[in-house]
Amino acid sequence: MVQARGGEGTGQAATVVTGETVDSGGGWPDSATRFVHKLGQLSSSQILMYVILIILLFITFVPIIYLVALSLKDNGQIYGRFWSMPNPYRWENFGLGSLAIWRPILNSILTSGSSTVATVVLASLSGYVFARHRFPGKEVIYTGILALLMIPPILTIIPAYVLILNMGLENTYWALILPWTSGGQVFALLLCRSFFATLPEEFFDAARIDGASELQSFAQIAVPLSAPILVTVAVVRLVTTYNQFMWPLVVISSPKRQVVAVALTQFTSEIGVTDLGPQMAGYILASIPLIVLFSFGMRHYVRGLTAGGLKA
Amino acid sequence: MSGWRIMGNAARLRRAAWGFALAMVVLLAVAWPLGAQSPEGLLWQFGSTSRVQAVAITEDGRITAVGSRDNNLRVFDGSGELMWQFEAENSILGVDISPDGQWVAVASEDRFVYLLDGDGNLLWQFKAARPMNNAAVASDGSLVAATSNDLSVYALDQTGNLLWQEELGIGVQAVDIYGSSEKARVVLGSDDGLVTIYSREGRQLLQAGLDYNVRSVSVTQNGALILAGSIDGSAILLNGANGNELWRFEAEDTINSVALAGDGSSALVGSKDGSAYLLGADGTLRHQFRQDSEVLSVALAGDAGRLAVGTVAGASRTYDLASAMRGAERASAQQQRLFISIALLFTALVLAAVWAARNTAAGQQVWQRSSAGPFGVVQAVWSARLSYLLILPTLALLLTFNYYPAFSGLYHAFTDWSPGARTDWVGLSNFRFLMEDRFFLSGFRNAAILVVVSVAKTMTVPLLVAEFIFNLRNRLSQYWFRTLFVVPIVLPAVVEILVWNNIYDPAIGLLNESLKLVGLEEWTRVWYGDASVALGSIIFIGVPWVNAFALLIFYGGLISISNEIIDASLVDGASTWRRFWSIDLPLLMGQIKLLLILNFINAVQTFELVYLTTGGGPGAATYTPALELYYLAMRMDRMGVASAIGMILFFIILAGTIVNMRFVKSSTEYEA
């Protein structure tokens, strides 16, 4: 599979990331275009496929349609006329929902964002060192780091919680940022090291001859060249941390510092919203950061996850 | 080239996994002989079949008085020899002994309060209308205070004359005395949560209010500090001068008895939760003496460093503080030994690496380059200091937040762990507990079901959809279907579950409403509340399970299949069906393997899905191990058992991962 692509000597082929296979935003793969025929010549099997796909698509979208519909109704409309369209449209639900949810959304953006930035900085730095430096114990240390991929969060969650308690960080943003930064590094380091290892040695030789220090060649050659992989790491980490539920539930108890994934589940108990409409509106609002992120980063997300997984 | 790297990493990872498993085995082998520890510091114990409702100890710890339900007061010397015995007409409910052991006040259910001298001779007795439930005596025997079930407190002088009586009109059983002769004061705690200090004449000097019924009070000899234990499980230290709260300690259940050292340097709290807690002067827990049953009464001899505990099961035990603390130290020494073993293990690994370096061809090269000998290595390390410096932050974080918790979890799985309070090695008893915990067992079964179902879900519908989209002849429809099927990924995972909660809502949920609409009213039900369908409902969430991630991965795999192969199959006249089995599926093995392992790992750790829907109910029907772990750790403070669950799941995941890497062939290996 990978070898099949190996022949394409473009600059991008340097990507060791096998997720390239899903890279279809640009030109269409030949294998697909060969199947393009005129619409009118649909065979019965084609029609069957269309029908099944449309049915599946519809069922997939039922919860989303339901969510949007409820978010525009008030309780009277929901209980009284369950099946009718929202009438009138209760746009103010979104106002009420946002009142309850804006703070957790900001908390999430803050913690996810800062831990992602830290992960990218640290992982690219150490990925560079592991890829380009020679030092005693390198492979042992690297293997030691990779071994962490074998440790599931369920094993560490309770001891890590106790550690956070002992450090006095319970109920602070640090309780989220530090472990997330640390945990994300393993996978990020794996990607970064693989990528840096493919960068041609000549670039760095040239830089050295020109008198660039090690850090300069890292910052001015390696980082710009590896922007795609760093974006991939960032997108994957943002999505992963934004969706985290169990860890914030354990270490954060104050509603003021709670992240959105947990806050959504405490709508009624903590925030005091009992109407269904504003709640649903809150659910939709909580999705906005992900919508923004996916609208430009979907390809990176899939590529990152595929790469991390296939390598393991 | 890149293919090789993938192989290289897989091999490396496999080796790391084996190494990790090996390290665990060695670790356990090292840790095993440390064994469970016996109760430390126990000087002697007296066991009887009837509950011990009152214990008292002199300040020098030489004399212990034990009052039990068999109507007997037994007085023991420091080595546990019975000195004398006094029999009342009914159960003994309260005992107090003066610091020098010369006076013993006894309250009994036979309605009498007795004052005895140091040799067990009865000096006088005084009768109330109802049983006496507690008594206290001043250090010089000049004042005796007794509380009674007639809701009154009685103060008596040295000769048994009633000095005063106060009818409180509410339950009272907490009483203590400080000072002597004219300066003696009575401290009283009652069921209305009030702690009151009375003078010898019965004048109220100070009153402080607590939130719950006061079950027991204890006061230092100078009256500066008052410890009150209340039924909500808190022991509260009050300033004897103004009644202000100084600190508070929370036990897990009602506090039956409290004792303060004469100088206030330590405190002892006996609780219904089966423990006696030894607290420092600042209220921090110094040691927990766990008993086999509810602790009814405690006594503390500050000077001698001894304490006595009486329990429901009829045991009265006397402990030596210093050796108990040493026992705790020994437990932490065990911990140290364990960490030393870990350090030794790592050293052994490093030595093995050095050996490998000297005895393999590749290693030889490295070895020679670093110019032979330990000095050469030091030099090499020094010259690479920048490299170490740059990876230092990464390593520091990983060691702190990943490695340390992992080892801590594996170690504490064998302990009774209450952070900040105790870490006692208990061997395998956490695992034995889990083997009998129906929530965990049910969770284990459910996790197995969820694993199978989750793998089945991901391997079928997304693959089917990917094949269908791939086989559509119209490029534009391919694009739109692919995009639309992926759209739901923008919903946070939690939102999807919450929306489905609404769909299942028994009152106004989409599912029940739809069933009513099509006339299947009898099919409607409380989906999460019915044990027979609850797990099914949870599994049904997300129907038709077109997992966007799996779809993209399968689709990506399909479009990367080289055109030549597909063309060749067309030329050979292979049907689409045939092509699927003979070409697509084998070439998708890499993707299948990936999704297999990701789904397995995630399903074993299922938490949100049940926490947010049924919460494990009804009964234990939808528990998962991760949910039980959360409840045990966060609601029951049983961190040790929770760690044991974590360890079990870890080994399951490790085994699954190794099996997956070892036995499921991926396409890379096909081609290699």
Side-chain angles (χ1 to χ4, degrees):
Chain A
M1 171 183 79
V2 178
Q3 281 83 343
R5 302 231 128 204
E8 303 174 6
T10 64
Q12 283 302 317
T15 345
V16 291
V17 175
T18 47
E20 188 188 348
T21 50
V22 232
D23 175 8
S24 45
W28 284 94
D30 296 346
S31 55
T33 47
R34 279 186 310 99
F35 286 101
V36 177
H37 285 272
K38 283 177 193 161
L39 266 173
Q41 297 174 322
L42 287 180
S43 66
S44 58
S45 66
Q46 285 283 305
I47 292 172
L48 186 67
M49 286 196 285
Y50 271 106
V51 170
I52 294 178
L53 284 177
I54 286 171
I55 291 173
L56 287 176
L57 197 59
F58 174 73
I59 305 176
T60 305
F61 269 83
V62 163
I64 296 178
I65 297 165
Y66 182 61
L67 171 67
V68 174
L70 285 191
S71 74
L72 293 170
K73 290 178 161 189
D74 56 33
N75 266 8
Q77 294 181 37
I78 295 170
Y79 287 94
R81 291 166 285 143
F82 185 81
W83 289 106
S84 58
M85 290 295 288
N87 182 28
Y89 288 89
R90 293 284 178 193
W91 292 106
E92 62 269 29
N93 282 350
F94 281 84
L96 291 170
S98 72
L99 273 183
I101 213 70
W102 69 268
R103 173 103 203 211
I105 290 181
L106 285 188
N107 288 341
S108 275
I109 292 175
L110 176 73
T111 50
S112 290
S114 46
S115 78
T116 299
V117 169
T119 302
V120 168
V121 170
L122 290 177
S124 60
L125 205 57
S126 44
Y128 177 80
V129 170
F130 277 114
R132 310 215 67 88
H133 286 193
R134 270 205 189 114
F135 53 92
K138 178 167 108 169
E139 292 307 316
V140 172
I141 298 175
Y142 187 63
T143 306
I145 294 175
L146 277 200
L148 284 174
L149 285 174
M150 294 286 160
I151 309 284
I154 202 78
L155 173 68
T156 54
I157 188 162
I158 294 306
Y161 166 62
V162 174
L163 179 70
I164 292 290
L165 281 185
N166 290 341
M167 288 172 143
L169 294 180
E170 196 205 10
N171 238 337
T172 63
Y173 292 130
W174 293 113
L176 301 175
I177 295 173
L178 289 176
W180 281 346
T181 304
S182 178
Q185 282 182 109
V186 182
F187 138 89
L189 180 59
L190 182 74
L191 288 195
C192 287
R193 179 185 180 171
S194 310
F195 190 87
F196 286 135
T198 63
L199 296 179
E201 190 71 41
E202 292 78 26
F203 291 175
F204 297 94
D205 290 341
R208 208 173 302 131
I209 291 165
D210 289 348
S213 75
E214 201 52 36
L215 284 177
Q216 273 174 325
S217 48
F218 166 72
Q220 290 173 13
I221 300 177
V223 170
L225 283 176
S226 61
I229 203 75
L230 297 183
V231 172
T232 297
V233 169
V235 172
V236 171
R237 285 309 297 167
L238 282 173
V239 175
T240 310
T241 51
Y242 193 86
N243 272 323
Q244 283 277 323
F245 180 78
M246 195 173 178
W247 179 247
L249 179 71
V250 168
V251 293
I252 305 288
S253 50
S254 143
K256 269 172 66 184
R257 297 211 179 73
Q258 195 49 277
V259 297
V260 70
V262 181
L264 284 178
T265 69
Q266 297 168 343
F267 240 120
T268 40
S269 59
E270 297 282 354
I271 307 171
V273 178
T274 48
D275 275 14
L276 222 41
Q279 251 185 62
M280 295 290 157
Y283 297 172
I284 294 176
L285 292 171
S287 312
I288 289 178
L290 285 187
I291 296 174
V292 172
L293 192 62
F294 276 122
S295 60
F296 79 90
M298 174 69 88
R299 246 188 313 151
H300 292 285
Y301 178 68
V302 176
R303 180 165 70 173
L305 283 195
T306 326
L310 279 189
K311 275 162 191 306
Chain B
M1 153 101 185
S2 47
W4 175 84
R5 186 165 290 108
I6 287 170
M7 288 294 292
N9 271 327
R12 189 205 303 278
L13 209 63
R14 203 175 302 152
R15 228 174 304 140
W18 282 115
F20 211 87
L22 187 71
M24 282 312 110
V25 171
V26 175
L27 194 70
L28 290 183
V30 171
W32 223 253
L34 296 179
Q37 69 191 78
S38 60
E40 290 290 343
L42 183 64
L43 288 174
W44 56 268
Q45 64 171 325
F46 173 76
S48 74
T49 49
S50 51
R51 48 203 274 166
V52 174
Q53 307 187 114
V55 292
I57 194 166
T58 55
E59 195 59 29
D60 59 3
R62 286 259 181 78
I63 302 171
T64 308
V66 177
S68 57
R69 200 175 175 184
D70 64 2
N71 307 356
N72 276 307
L73 171 77
R74 295 181 180 83
V75 176
F76 299 91
D77 69 7
S79 55
E81 293 296 320
L82 184 65
M83 291 163 65
W84 50 267
Q85 196 164 342
F86 170 81
E87 185 163 2
E89 302 291 317
N90 209 333
S91 311
I92 308 243
L93 296 177
V95 171
D96 192 20
I97 191 164
S98 62
D100 56 3
Q102 287 308 304
W103 311 93
V104 183
V106 182
S108 167
E109 203 155 7
D110 63 10
R111 305 181 189 184
F112 279 106
V113 56
Y114 304 92
L115 185 70
L116 312 171
D117 69 10
D119 302 316
N121 303 314
L122 179 63
L123 300 174
W124 51 257
Q125 60 193 52
F126 176 87
K127 191 176 181 183
R130 317 269 318 203
M132 289 287 188
N133 56 33
N134 204 354
V137 61
S139 59
D140 58 354
S142 63
L143 180 68
V144 172
T147 53
S148 164
N149 288 358
D150 64 9
L151 314 181
S152 297
V153 56
Y154 301 88
L156 305 131
D157 71 4
Q158 199 151 8
T159 54
N161 296 322
L162 184 64
L163 292 171
W164 51 270
Q165 169 191 2
E166 170 135 0
E167 252 186 73
L168 296 165
I170 191 158
V172 56
Q173 59 171 311
V175 63
D176 200 10
I177 291 184
Y178 69 90
S180 55
S181 61
E182 292 305 311
K183 293 277 187 195
R185 305 274 183 266
V186 178
V187 180
L188 198 71
S190 48
D191 282 358
D192 49 7
L194 292 176
V195 174
T196 316
I197 303 180
Y198 294 92
S199 72
R200 188 183 157 90
E201 296 75 36
R203 199 154 36 85
Q204 273 194 24
L205 300 176
L206 183 77
Q207 197 159 52
L210 304 178
D211 299 331
Y212 294 92
N213 309 16
V214 177
R215 289 293 291 273
S216 175
V217 293
S218 180
V219 60
T220 54
Q221 277 169 12
N222 58 10
L225 301 169
I226 300 170
L227 185 63
S230 67
I231 61 158
D232 68 329
S234 48
I236 299 145
L237 189 75
L238 301 170
N239 185 334
N242 53 24
N244 290 341
E245 177 178 329
L246 296 172
W247 50 253
R248 141 192 313 254
F249 170 81
E250 303 279 349
E252 279 160 44
D253 206 335
T254 296
I255 288 179
N256 285 326
S257 177
V258 295
L260 262 181
D263 56 0
S265 60
S266 53
L268 189 64
V269 174
S271 161
K272 199 175 173 181
D273 64 16
S275 283
Y277 302 90
L278 180 72
L279 310 177
D282 54 354
T284 53
L285 183 60
R286 288 172 63 203
H287 194 69
Q288 181 175 8
F289 295 89
R290 261 167 306 149
Q291 307 294 318
D292 41 21
S293 58
E294 184 175 330
V295 175
L296 285 180
S297 175
V298 293
L300 181 63
D303 288 356
R306 287 190 175 187
L307 57 97
V309 176
T311 69
V312 163
S316 49
R317 300 189 174 91
T318 302
Y319 294 90
D320 181 55
L321 277 185
S323 62
M325 300 307 285
R326 266 201 305 280
E329 267 167 36
R330 210 166 311 152
S332 70
Q334 280 185 343
Q335 204 171 345
Q336 270 174 0
R337 227 179 308 160
L338 190 79
F339 281 108
I340 290 171
S341 333
I342 295 172
L344 285 177
L345 196 69
F346 276 113
T347 319
L349 285 178
V350 171
L351 287 178
V354 171
W355 178 85
R358 303 195 71 153
N359 291 283
T360 60
Q364 207 84 62
Q365 270 184 330
V366 178
W367 192 250
Q368 278 158 10
R369 203 172 27 240
S370 56
S371 72
F375 188 69
V377 174
V378 172
Q379 219 169 25
V381 168
W382 176 246
S383 63
R385 59 193 181 281
L386 178 67
S387 311
Y388 292 115
L389 198 67
L390 290 178
I391 61 171
L392 189 66
T394 300
L395 289 182
L397 274 176
L398 288 175
L399 283 175
T400 316
F401 291 103
N402 294 64
Y403 259 108
Y404 171 73
F407 280 104
S408 164
L410 292 173
Y411 170 71
H412 286 109
F414 300 97
T415 62
D416 181 354
W417 190 24
S418 182
R422 63 165 186 274
T423 309
D424 298 334
W425 185 270
V426 294
L428 290 176
S429 80
N430 287 339
F431 295 90
R432 273 197 291 272
F433 171 83
L434 288 175
M435 288 307 112
E436 283 158 18
D437 177 11
R438 73 187 181 103
F439 296 106
F440 176 74
L441 293 178
S442 160
F444 210 81
R445 188 196 56 133
N446 292 338
I449 296 174
L450 286 172
V451 166
V452 173
V453 169
S454 140
V455 167
K457 276 188 210 169
T458 327
M459 291 302 150
T460 51
V461 188
L463 181 58
L464 185 82
V465 172
E467 276 285 349
F468 278 8
I469 297 179
F470 181 64
N471 281 312
L472 287 182
R473 301 246 165 93
N474 182 293
R475 203 169 74 173
L476 199 66
S477 354
Q478 281 187 327
Y479 174 77
W480 277 109
F481 272 121
R482 210 201 51 181
T483 310
L484 286 175
F485 271 117
V486 171
V487 162
I489 210 175
V490 302
L491 287 187
V494 167
V495 167
E496 196 196 354
I497 297 173
L498 292 173
V499 171
W500 274 89
N501 277 354
N502 261 292
I503 292 177
Y504 282 132
D505 193 306
I508 193 75
L510 182 62
L511 185 54
N512 278 353
E513 291 299 315
S514 307
L515 288 172
K516 281 180 202 159
L517 194 71
V518 296
L520 292 169
E521 193 120 4
E522 69 272 22
W523 285 21
T524 64
R525 61 189 69 211
V526 183
W527 296 99
Y528 289 154
D530 184 339
S532 57
V533 292
L535 188 64
S537 307
I538 289 178
I539 290 171
F540 203 72
I541 285 180
V543 86
W545 311 306
V546 188
N547 180 304
F549 176 56
L551 172 66
L552 285 175
I553 287 192
F554 280 132
Y555 191 75
L558 285 174
I559 60 177
S560 72
I561 292 174
S562 93
N563 302 332
E564 289 80 14
I565 301 179
I566 293 176
D567 287 341
S569 77
L570 287 176
V571 171
D572 288 351
S575 65
T576 314
W577 185 241
R578 179 72 203 274
R579 203 197 75 216
F580 172 75
W581 285 107
S582 305
I583 298 177
D584 294 359
L585 212 52
L587 288 178
L588 285 178
M589 280 315 282
Q591 282 77 4
I592 290 175
K593 186 171 160 176
L594 165 69
L595 291 171
L596 199 63
I597 195 61
L598 289 183
N599 270 293
F600 172 75
I601 293 176
N602 286 334
V604 169
Q605 304 180 70
T606 305
F607 174 72
E608 289 104 296
L609 195 58
V610 283
Y611 178 79
L612 291 178
T613 53
T614 59
T622 56
Y623 262 75
T624 63
L627 187 74
E628 175 69 350
L629 176 144
Y630 174 80
Y631 285 151
L632 280 171
M634 305 305 295
R635 304 215 172 140
M636 291 167 225
D637 199 31
R638 303 197 61 172
M639 304 282 190
V641 186
S643 299
I645 296 182
M647 179 166 172
I648 293 173
L649 296 186
F650 163 62
F651 277 112
I652 290 173
I653 290 172
L654 191 66
T657 312
I658 290 174
V659 167
N660 184 61
M661 285 194 303
R662 191 85 190 75
F663 298 109
V664 183
K665 287 185 177 169
S666 78
S667 63
T668 27
E669 279 153 311
Y670 259 85
E671 289 174 35

